[in-house]
Amino acid sequence: LVTLASLLKTKGYSTGGFVGSQILNGSFGLDRGFDVYDDTFEDAEQSERRGGEVNSEAFAWLDKQKGDPVFLFLHYYDPHDTYDPPEPFATTFKGSADAGEIAYSDHCIGEVIAKLKSLDMYESSLIIVTGDHGEMLGEHGETTHMYFIYQGAVKVPMIYKLPGSKGGVKIDDVSG
């Protein structure tokens, strides 16, 4: 199978992937086409790492890519059960740890945007942000995402910025 990373690599892109969970370990073939696929964790028993750690590794790689076209894949695992946001998000969202982890992930994405701007890469970048799934949070008797395909589990945001675009448009209905 041809992956997006493989295709872009043949077009001269430097390709880097940085993941926050062992669920996306390269041993499953997910590293195909990446020059760098960082799925190593400090502790061999560790199954996930925070978005800030993912960013740190990705930013070190981005700093070396000056002038080259790049494909950067970032995966944040933070907004998943068991919710335990770092400070100040734990305090700010006390009583709603899931919202705290979403806010933390949003903060990490903001850091990526700031990094791209500092490297003068933002304007020429295609940026896509999406979720892998939603959480039921008690709806239909499910606390997370299980076996059923309810809207709470499958309706996820997708945000994108086209190269050179100014401003945004919110689309509420994609049914056409």
Side-chain angles (χ1 to χ4, degrees), residues 48-116:
E48 62 183 83
R49 60 182 168 181
R50 296 223 185 256
E53 295 175 57
V54 173
N55 280 359
S56 179
E57 298 298 324
F59 293 173
W61 178 79
L62 265 179
D63 285 336
K64 299 174 186 171
Q65 309 307 315
K66 293 183 170 66
D68 294 334
V70 299
F71 171 65
L72 173 62
F73 172 75
L74 298 174
H75 169 259
Y76 302 125
Y77 195 74
D78 299 277
H80 281 80
D81 187 48
T82 311
Y83 301 110
D84 180 29
E87 289 297 344
F89 303 95
T91 299
T92 302
F93 293 91
K94 190 172 183 151
S96 185
D98 58 318
E101 287 206 346
I102 292 167
Y104 174 65
S105 294
D106 182 67
H107 167 78
C108 291
I109 293 166
E111 290 180 334
V112 173
I113 290 169
K115 182 65 173 180
L116 292 172

